[in-house]
Amino acid sequence: MTNFEYARRIDEAAGLDLDLDCKEIDLQDKFYGLFQCFMPDGIGIETVFAPLQNGTELQARIMPIYTATA
C-alpha cells in the first residue's frame, strides 16, 4: 500500500473528503487533527491502524483517550 492509498483509506474512514488527487501535496498538513474526527468514542479508528504492521499496538495506545472522552 502506498502512502497515497493509505491516505485515501484514512480520508474515507474519517469522512474528511480531502482532495488527494495531487501527488505533490504534503500529507502531514492534510491530516492535522485526524484523531479528533473519531471523537468522542473512537468508532472507526481501527480503519486507520489496520494496514499498519503494528496497528493493533498503536490503536491500543490511543484508545484510552477515546474512553475518557466517550
Side-chain angles (χ1 to χ4, degrees), residues 41-43 45-46 49 58-68:
D41 49 19
I43 292 177
I45 196 72
E46 65 278 354
F49 295 106
L58 292 170
Q59 182 179 342
R61 290 177 62 186
I62 199 169
M63 288 311 293
I65 295 169
Y66 294 113
T67 301

Side-chain angles (χ1 to χ4, degrees), residues 1-16:
M1 176 177 294
T2 68
N3 286 345
F4 280 92
E5 290 170 338
Y6 182 59
R8 284 192 182 96
R9 182 182 186 124
I10 292 171
D11 181 41
E12 291 172 7
L16 298 175

Side-chain angles (χ1 to χ4, degrees), residues 1-39:
M1 176 177 294
T2 68
N3 286 345
F4 280 92
E5 290 170 338
Y6 182 59
R8 284 192 182 96
R9 182 182 186 124
I10 292 171
D11 181 41
E12 291 172 7
L16 298 175
D17 196 29
L18 298 174
D19 179 20
L20 297 174
D21 291 333
C22 178
K23 300 268 184 202
E24 304 302 319
I25 62 174
D26 183 359
L27 294 175
Q28 181 178 358
D29 291 341
K30 290 287 188 175
F31 292 103
Y32 180 81
L34 168 69
F35 295 104
Q36 290 182 355
C37 295
F38 298 96
M39 290 290 188

